[in-house]
Amino acid sequence: MSLDNEISKRRTFGIISHPDAGKTTLTEKLLLFGGAIQKAGAVKSNKIKMHARSDWMEIEKQRGISVATSVMGFNYRDTKVNILDTPGHQDFAEDTYRTLTAVDSVIMVIDCVKGVEIQTEKLMEVCRMRNTPVICFINKLDREGRDPYDLLDEIEEKLNIKVQPMTWPIGMGKSFKGVYSLYDKSLHLFEPSKTTVEAGKKLEDIQSPELEKYVGESDAEMLRGEVELVSEVYSEFDKNKYQDGSTAPVFFGSAVNNFGVKELLDCFIDIAPTPKPRETEIREIAPNDNKFSGFIFKIHANMDPKHRNRIAFLRICSGKFERGKNYFHVRHNKAFRFSNATAFMAQERETIDEAWPGDIIGIYDTGNLKIGDTLSEGEKGLYKGIPSFSPEIFKEVINKNALKSKQLEKGLNQLMEEGVAQLFTFEMGNRKVVGTVGALQYEVIQHRLKNEYGADCDFMSINLHKACWLSSKDPKKLEEFVKSKQRHIARDKDGNLVFMAESRAWLQMIGDNFPEVEIHNTSEF
Ligand code: G4P
């Protein structure tokens, strides 16, 4: 089959939400409708609940689960759907940000009782950075939730995106009767816990008396009024506006009851974008460029600590990947053979012979790959767009066993390559500081250093506000700045210069006093 044909069949998306909105449940139902799993309960939640904070078994389990549920592929209506799951826990936000660089669109789950929550707002900001198209699924309509207009207004306001309702709910909570699809003018009646889905009842004319037959007189009247109002308030669905990230189509449903999920999936297949061109340092590469290329966005340590193999997740951006072929590793400037690539199909991992743009494959790695690496058929540009963001918490690493310094160094480097946290090494005194977005990572790092590398360390809190990357058009000015602020200069894991700012005010002052030095909040500028 031709490359263009394969590309047009791919839909690669991420599923995101505030914890507990129903992401895991919706993922499972999508897999059920896609025929990828046969019964509910097969997809394990990858969330860490708050009470599990210091429960090591829970963290270990989490690592296993998140490999299993990181990527789930299935075929539906002659389309290859790839779902990328993201950790809902905010302490793993970096992982989510990176995963979002590998998708072509996003489905965002919102709880109709709670509305837009903080984590949802943060994730939306990340989507907006790359104009990623977003579909919202308002979940838990079987509960007494907020008024649908209120919810839509809140999405527009807090997520700063125009909305386009695609379905409209008939009642809510105890009186929830179903949804009317504004997209294909069909009526879907709600029956709790239904496991099969019949096609909706076509109602070309919502004025038809048939509506009364299905939902009763008062609901029929209410629905007609609301549909009229909705069509006045919101314009017609425009696929281009969705695909350029300026409008979010919205669906209503109840994932746990299998309701509204099939409509979501069917519409998603119709409107969601196929793989698009992506920028490298050298040029934009289209997915139908004949030469293979892709990048690593996630690295996962193997569960068995005795074997330090890791799985690197590669997003294919162009051409065709073939097992056993030599590919060019841009950062190492040399060719490698990847003979053991695997595809992720629902809960299974299977060896694959070929893969196409939009696909995510797993590559077993013994330390050659790290996040952000590009593989190609010889071209030298690295894919752009996996920046590091300044962490929010900083702690200095204190080695508790001088005889194990080597192990500590190796362990820290490898964990950082997996993207567990960020390591900064001060120029003066070689002090090492680990920066994270959440406190939970320190426990994970300490535990893994001990168990996998035999290294023992403590973390000491230090007073830092931000780590900012530095650049200047004038290398001399940058050198002068670095000299004058030596105590506050560190290097990140790739050797880039970083300014370790102690306070917001101080950062501001530096900006004012050294206008020739540019201070960046992310590693990519
Ligand atoms: P998450 O991955 O976004 O964190 O959420 P998850 O799917 O785990 O769902 C969180 C809770 O919400 C679960 O209940 C789940 O059953 C429930 N839920 C999901 N969809 C719906 C829905 O449409 N209606 C209602 N009423 N509840 C829904 P739990 O009690 O935390 O877990 P469980 O014991 O049911 O698994």
Side-chain angles (χ1 to χ4, degrees):
M1 200 178 284
S2 77
L3 184 53
D4 280 321
N5 215 329
E6 292 290 348
I7 294 164
S8 69
K9 281 168 55 176
R10 282 344 188 241
R11 305 284 184 283
T12 300
F13 75 102
I15 184 154
I16 57 181
S17 77
H18 190 93
D20 276 339
K23 180 168 65 73
T24 311
T25 314
L26 179 64
T27 306
E28 179 171 279
K29 304 301 170 176
L30 290 171
L31 295 177
L32 272 172
F33 287 123
I37 54 172
Q38 265 61 52
K39 63 174 197 298
V43 177
K44 295 281 173 290
S45 168
N46 77 0
K47 69 188 156 192
I48 293 181
K49 296 214 164 141
M50 287 314 278
H51 61 74
R53 274 198 163 265
S54 47
D55 182 342
W56 302 123
M57 282 317 290
E58 209 42 55
I59 290 173
E60 288 297 297
K61 252 195 317 203
Q62 154 77 17
R63 286 174 53 207
I65 290 166
S66 63
V67 174
T69 61
S70 283
V71 181
M72 288 159 278
F74 63 90
N75 294 307
Y76 182 74
R77 277 181 32 199
D78 202 28
T79 301
K80 169 84 187 294
V81 180
N82 295 311
I83 307 181
L84 275 67
D85 191 21
T86 55
H89 198 291
Q90 61 177 15
D91 285 12
F92 293 91
E94 280 266 339
D95 194 20
T96 301
Y97 300 158
R98 283 190 296 260
T99 299
L100 292 181
T101 64
V103 303
D104 299 311
S105 69
V106 151
I107 292 181
M108 182 176 274
V109 188
I110 293 171
D111 183 328
C112 76
V113 183
K114 296 191 175 142
V116 175
E117 296 169 89
I118 297 244
Q119 187 68 0
T120 327
E121 287 181 51
K122 286 198 185 152
L123 293 168
M124 186 65 202
E125 277 169 31
V126 178
C127 294
R128 205 172 300 108
M129 277 165 62
R130 306 174 59 243
N131 297 326
T132 309
V134 175
I135 289 179
C136 294
F137 182 77
I138 300 187
N139 191 27
K140 307 197 185 181
L141 264 279
D142 58 317
R143 287 203 180 157
E144 302 297 335
R146 309 240 310 265
D147 176 75
Y149 294 107
D150 266 7
L151 288 164
L152 294 176
D153 284 352
E154 191 177 72
I155 295 175
E156 289 204 333
E157 212 172 282
K158 288 198 176 162
L159 301 185
N160 194 10
I161 189 165
K162 289 246 158 300
V163 293
Q164 179 66 56
M166 304 296 271
T167 59
W168 195 259
I170 308 164
M172 205 181 251
K174 283 201 189 78
S175 60
F176 181 51
K177 294 245 172 83
V179 294
Y180 175 69
S181 167
L182 302 155
Y183 176 64
D184 68 1
K185 307 212 169 5
S186 57
L187 184 70
H188 300 264
L189 298 174
F190 176 63
E191 283 171 43
S193 299
K194 208 161 61 160
T195 46
T196 54
V197 170
E198 303 118 43
K201 299 167 186 15
K202 272 272 175 216
L203 275 185
E204 287 301 344
D205 182 4
I206 196 166
Q207 302 303 335
S208 144
E210 255 191 292
L211 184 59
E212 271 82 355
K213 214 173 76 195
Y214 295 125
V215 299
E217 231 168 76
S218 68
D219 277 330
E221 204 174 309
M222 195 169 71
L223 179 67
R224 286 186 189 118
E226 284 182 341
V227 167
E228 196 183 325
L229 188 62
V230 166
S231 61
E232 280 166 20
V233 177
Y234 303 99
S235 43
E236 283 278 293
F237 171 66
D238 180 339
K239 191 166 160 180
N240 292 330
K241 286 193 178 153
Y242 154 62
Q243 289 208 352
D244 69 19
S246 57
T247 298
V250 178
F251 290 80
F252 291 86
S254 169
V256 81
N257 290 299
N258 291 326
F259 190 77
V261 180
K262 188 167 181 298
E263 293 81 68
L264 170 73
L265 181 58
D266 281 328
C267 181
F268 171 81
I269 299 287
D270 290 343
I271 67 173
T274 55
K276 293 277 172 286
R278 285 174 176 255
E279 284 285 335
T280 70
E281 293 165 328
I282 297 174
R283 65 178 181 117
E284 187 179 83
I285 299 185
N288 62 358
D289 195 299
N290 270 326
K291 295 229 157 88
F292 157 81
S293 67
F295 65 90
I296 309 289
F297 64 95
K298 185 182 175 95
I299 300 228
H300 217 296
N302 226 342
M303 285 298 287
D304 182 354
K306 286 193 251 15
H307 300 98
R308 252 183 233 129
N309 320 358
R310 307 183 295 182
I311 302 173
F313 291 72
L314 175 94
R315 149 89 199 207
I316 297 174
C317 299
S318 69
K320 173 180 166 187
F321 175 91
E322 287 173 82
R323 187 159 68 95
K325 213 168 159 177
N326 279 341
Y327 288 114
F328 183 65
H329 187 311
V330 175
R331 183 172 54 89
H332 284 327
N333 198 21
K334 73 180 199 211
F336 281 84
R337 183 191 299 270
F338 301 98
S339 49
N340 52 5
T342 56
F344 301 92
M345 289 301 284
Q347 299 288 283
E348 309 282 314
R349 266 188 261 154
E350 56 186 38
T351 307
I352 41 139
D353 293 323
E354 55 184 40
W356 305 90
D359 284 344
I360 310 294
I361 56 173
I363 297 175
Y364 289 93
D365 169 50
T366 47
N368 289 317
L369 295 168
K370 66 180 185 182
I371 291 170
D373 276 347
T374 296
L375 299 179
S376 73
E377 265 183 69
E379 189 155 330
K380 295 204 162 165
L382 280 171
Y383 272 103
K384 294 209 285 201
I386 312 198
S388 299
F389 298 89
S390 174
E392 283 160 34
I393 307 175
F394 298 88
K395 292 190 179 184
E396 185 172 345
V397 184
I398 309 290
N399 187 3
K400 279 170 63 179
N401 183 349
L403 296 174
K404 298 278 169 95
S405 327
K406 273 219 170 101
Q407 285 86 336
L408 179 63
E409 175 125 6
K410 182 170 180 192
L412 273 174
N413 284 337
Q414 293 203 350
L415 293 187
M416 299 306 130
E417 276 171 18
E418 275 176 41
V420 177
Q422 292 183 58
L423 184 70
F424 302 96
T425 309
F426 274 99
E427 292 271 85
M428 280 179 76
N430 213 26
R431 284 159 59 216
K432 290 190 186 317
V433 169
V434 168
T436 67
V437 276
L440 191 54
Q441 267 98 329
Y442 292 102
E443 296 183 35
V444 176
I445 295 167
Q446 226 171 6
H447 173 74
R448 289 191 53 193
L449 283 172
K450 188 154 197 157
N451 277 271
E452 294 169 33
Y453 300 89
D456 216 355
C457 77
D458 260 343
F459 285 107
M460 189 175 75
S461 291
I462 52 169
N463 179 30
L464 277 176
H465 166 63
K466 257 199 171 128
C468 297
W469 284 264
L470 296 170
S471 72
S472 175
K473 289 192 181 76
D474 183 345
K476 260 207 146 129
K477 292 276 180 212
L478 186 60
E479 205 177 304
E480 274 168 34
F481 175 79
V482 168
K483 261 200 185 136
S484 71
K485 296 278 169 268
Q486 224 163 23
R487 270 187 342 106
H488 309 279
I489 300 292
R491 299 264 175 187
D492 72 4
K493 64 177 190 319
D494 299 319
N496 299 312
L497 278 175
V498 179
F499 179 66
M500 308 294 270
E502 280 169 12
S503 70
R504 187 191 297 266
W506 204 46
L507 199 55
Q508 176 74 41
M509 196 183 74
I510 296 281
D512 295 343
N513 293 353
F514 296 88
E516 304 86 355
V517 175
E518 284 160 46
I519 295 176
H520 311 272
N521 282 329
T522 78
S523 65
E524 206 170 80
F525 35 83

